[in-house]
Structures are given as C-alpha cells and as structure tokens.
Amino acid sequence: MTTYPKGFIPDLRRLRPWPSLRDSLWRNPDLVRLTYSELARLVQTCIGSQPCRILYVGPGLGHIALELARDGHDVTGVDIDQEAVALAKRAAETDPFPEGRGRLLYEVAEFP
C-alpha cells in the first residue's frame, strides 16, 4: 500500500513530480503521461463522446473517472480503498476545470 504525501492530487491535468513516491508512476509526470494519460484516452475513445452514466468499479485514485466527468459523463466510482477514495474526492473538489463536468461521486464499498 502506498502512502501518499500531503498535498498529493491524482489529476492528469495537474501533474508534478513526487520523488517520494519512488514505487509509483506518480513520481514522474512523464511516466504518468505515458501510462495513465494514454489509458484515459483509450477509455474515453471506447466510451465515446455522448454523455452517459458510468459505474466505475475500482477507480483507485480517480484520475480516469475525473477525466470522464470532465467529458460530460456522470460517473460513480466504487472502491474499497478509503485513502484512494479520499484522494479522488479531493482531486474532484479542487478541480480547476469544472465547466461542463458531469456529476462525479465516489463511495467506499466492496463490489464483489
């Protein structure tokens, strides 16, 4: 389990280096762009541009869910990891790009 530093925001549009996260891609913005940003683009392409309701099981830190909401989709993320959900909520609450964003909710729960 990764412990995230104070002030960490898992947002693909607000990347910065986090050297203390040496076991995580988030340590380097270029690594995040090569992996998580590309994955977000792939998911967005598969879902399409027509706004829809999405249940995202296991969104982790919420960076892809946030991008989907920014595309106008209504997203509900369900994850068992309380710390990840707290970080995802903080990223959503401090989002500097809220215009046109769909609804974005996170719940801590198991989804067997």
Side-chain angles (χ1 to χ4, degrees):
M1 180 177 210
T2 302
T3 300
Y4 294 94
K6 184 176 180 173
F8 174 73
I9 301 288
D11 185 344
L12 299 175
R13 297 186 193 186
R14 294 185 279 172
L15 295 175
R16 62 171 268 207
W18 292 97
S20 65
L21 293 174
R22 62 182 169 272
D23 295 331
S24 169
L25 295 173
W26 290 101
R27 70 185 182 273
N28 183 317
D30 292 332
L31 294 174
V32 173
R33 282 186 201 95
L34 285 171
T35 55
Y36 298 140
S37 294
E38 287 301 314
L39 180 58
R41 279 190 276 283
L42 176 63
V43 170
Q44 289 166 317
T45 299
C46 291
I47 290 175
S49 60
Q50 182 67 33
C52 58
R53 293 171 48 201
I54 299 169
L55 173 61
Y56 195 151
V57 179
L61 299 174
H63 44 284
I64 294 175
L66 179 58
E67 287 301 315
L68 291 170
R70 285 172 173 161
D71 281 349
H73 303 291
D74 291 336
V75 182
T76 300
V78 178
D79 203 294
I80 193 170
D81 186 335
Q82 291 180 344
E83 181 182 19
V85 169
L87 289 167
K89 284 181 178 181
R90 181 172 31 169
E93 291 165 358
T94 61
D95 182 10
F97 309 101
E99 294 81 30
R101 195 176 89 182
R103 186 175 49 95
L104 180 56
L105 303 171
Y106 293 102
E107 297 291 331
V108 175
E110 289 190 42
F111 199 87

Coordinates of all heavy atoms in Angstrom, one line a residue, residues 2 5 10 17 29 33 37 42 46 52-55 58 70-72 75 83 86-90 92 94 98 112:
T2 N 0.6 2.2 -0.9 CA 1.4 3.4 -1.0 C 0.8 4.4 0.0 O -0.4 4.6 0.1 CB 1.3 3.9 -2.4 OG1 1.7 3.0 -3.3 CG2 2.1 5.2 -2.6
P5 N 2.0 11.6 -0.2 CA 2.4 12.8 0.6 C 1.3 13.8 0.7 O 0.4 13.8 -0.1 CB 3.6 13.3 -0.2 CG 3.4 12.7 -1.6 CD 2.7 11.4 -1.5
P10 N -4.2 13.4 -7.4 CA -4.1 12.5 -8.6 C -5.0 13.0 -9.8 O -6.1 12.6 -10.0 CB -4.7 11.2 -8.0 CG -5.7 11.6 -7.0 CD -5.1 12.9 -6.4
P17 N 6.2 16.5 -10.2 CA 7.0 15.4 -9.7 C 6.7 15.1 -8.2 O 6.5 16.1 -7.4 CB 8.4 15.9 -9.9 CG 8.4 17.1 -10.7 CD 7.0 17.6 -10.6
P29 N 6.0 13.0 -13.9 CA 4.9 13.4 -14.8 C 5.0 12.7 -16.1 O 4.0 12.3 -16.7 CB 5.0 14.9 -14.9 CG 5.7 15.3 -13.7 CD 6.6 14.2 -13.3
R33 N 2.0 10.5 -17.9 CA 1.5 10.8 -19.3 C 1.6 9.5 -20.2 O 0.7 9.3 -21.0 CB 2.3 11.9 -19.9 CG 1.9 13.3 -19.4 CD 2.6 14.4 -20.2 NE 2.6 15.6 -19.4 CZ 3.6 16.0 -18.6 NH1 4.7 15.3 -18.5 NH2 3.5 17.1 -17.9
S37 N -2.3 8.6 -18.7 CA -3.0 9.5 -19.6 C -3.4 8.8 -20.9 O -4.4 9.0 -21.4 CB -2.0 10.7 -20.0 OG -1.8 11.5 -18.8
L42 N -7.7 6.0 -24.1 CA -8.2 4.8 -24.7 C -9.7 4.6 -24.1 O -10.6 4.3 -24.9 CB -7.3 3.6 -24.3 CG -7.8 2.3 -24.7 CD1 -8.0 2.2 -26.2 CD2 -6.9 1.2 -24.2
C46 N -13.2 4.5 -26.2 CA -14.2 3.4 -26.2 C -15.6 3.8 -25.7 O -16.6 3.3 -26.2 CB -13.6 2.3 -25.2 SG -12.2 1.5 -25.9
C52 N -23.0 9.9 -20.8 CA -23.7 8.7 -20.3 C -23.4 8.6 -18.8 O -22.6 9.3 -18.3 CB -23.3 7.4 -21.1 SG -21.6 7.0 -21.0
R53 N -24.1 7.6 -18.2 CA -23.9 7.3 -16.8 C -23.0 6.1 -16.7 O -23.2 5.1 -17.3 CB -25.2 7.0 -16.1 CG -26.1 8.2 -16.0 CD -27.5 7.9 -15.6 NE -27.5 7.1 -14.4 CZ -28.6 6.4 -14.0 NH1 -29.7 6.4 -14.7 NH2 -28.5 5.7 -12.9
I54 N -21.9 6.3 -15.9 CA -20.9 5.3 -15.8 C -20.7 4.8 -14.3 O -20.6 5.7 -13.4 CB -19.5 5.8 -16.3 CG1 -19.6 6.2 -17.8 CG2 -18.4 4.8 -16.1 CD1 -18.5 7.0 -18.3
L55 N -20.8 3.5 -14.1 CA -20.4 2.9 -12.8 C -19.0 2.4 -13.0 O -18.7 1.5 -13.7 CB -21.4 1.8 -12.4 CG -21.0 1.0 -11.1 CD1 -20.9 2.0 -9.9 CD2 -21.9 -0.1 -10.9
G58 N -13.7 0.1 -8.9 CA -12.3 0.1 -8.7 C -11.6 1.3 -9.4 O -10.6 1.1 -10.0
R70 N -15.1 15.2 -16.7 CA -14.8 16.4 -17.5 C -15.3 16.3 -18.9 O -15.5 17.4 -19.5 CB -13.3 16.6 -17.5 CG -12.7 17.1 -16.1 CD -11.2 17.1 -16.1 NE -10.7 17.8 -14.9 CZ -9.5 17.6 -14.5 NH1 -8.6 16.8 -15.2 NH2 -9.1 18.2 -13.4
D71 N -15.5 15.1 -19.4 CA -16.0 14.9 -20.8 C -17.5 15.0 -20.8 O -18.2 14.8 -21.8 CB -15.6 13.6 -21.4 CG -14.2 13.6 -21.9 OD1 -13.6 14.7 -22.0 OD2 -13.7 12.5 -22.2
G72 N -18.1 15.2 -19.6 CA -19.6 15.4 -19.5 C -20.3 14.2 -19.0 O -21.6 14.2 -18.9
V75 N -20.4 10.1 -13.5 CA -19.5 8.9 -13.0 C -19.7 8.7 -11.5 O -19.7 9.6 -10.7 CB -18.0 9.2 -13.3 CG1 -17.2 8.0 -12.9 CG2 -17.8 9.5 -14.8
E83 N -8.3 5.5 1.5 CA -7.4 6.5 1.2 C -7.5 6.9 -0.3 O -7.5 8.1 -0.6 CB -6.0 6.1 1.5 CG -4.9 7.2 1.2 CD -3.5 6.8 1.4 OE1 -3.2 5.5 1.5 OE2 -2.7 7.7 1.6
A86 N -10.6 9.0 -0.7 CA -10.4 10.4 -0.2 C -9.5 11.3 -1.1 O -9.9 12.4 -1.4 CB -9.7 10.3 1.2
L87 N -8.5 10.7 -1.7 CA -7.7 11.4 -2.7 C -8.5 11.8 -4.0 O -8.3 12.9 -4.5 CB -6.4 10.7 -3.0 CG -5.4 10.6 -1.9 CD1 -4.3 9.5 -2.2 CD2 -4.7 11.9 -1.7
A88 N -9.3 10.8 -4.4 CA -10.1 11.1 -5.6 C -11.1 12.2 -5.4 O -11.3 13.0 -6.2 CB -10.8 9.8 -6.0
K89 N -11.7 12.2 -4.2 CA -12.7 13.2 -3.8 C -12.0 14.6 -3.8 O -12.5 15.6 -4.2 CB -13.3 12.9 -2.5 CG -14.4 11.8 -2.6 CD -15.0 11.6 -1.2 CE -16.1 10.6 -1.3 NZ -16.8 10.4 0.1
R90 N -10.8 14.6 -3.2 CA -10.0 15.9 -3.1 C -9.7 16.4 -4.5 O -9.8 17.6 -4.7 CB -8.8 15.7 -2.3 CG -8.0 17.0 -2.1 CD -6.9 17.0 -1.2 NE -6.2 15.7 -1.1 CZ -5.1 15.5 -0.5 NH1 -4.4 16.5 0.1 NH2 -4.5 14.3 -0.5
A92 N -11.4 15.9 -7.2 CA -12.6 16.4 -7.8 C -13.1 17.7 -7.2 O -13.5 18.6 -7.9 CB -13.7 15.3 -7.6
T94 N -11.2 20.0 -5.9 CA -10.3 21.1 -6.2 C -10.1 21.3 -7.7 O -9.2 22.0 -8.1 CB -9.0 20.9 -5.5 OG1 -8.4 19.7 -5.9 CG2 -9.1 20.9 -4.0
P98 N -14.0 22.8 -13.9 CA -15.4 22.2 -13.6 C -16.4 22.5 -14.7 O -17.5 21.9 -14.7 CB -15.7 22.9 -12.3 CG -15.1 24.2 -12.4 CD -13.8 24.0 -13.1
P112 N -18.3 -7.1 -4.7 CA -17.9 -8.4 -5.2 C -18.7 -8.9 -6.4 O -19.7 -8.5 -6.7 CB -18.2 -9.3 -3.9 CG -19.2 -8.5 -3.1 CD -19.0 -7.1 -3.5

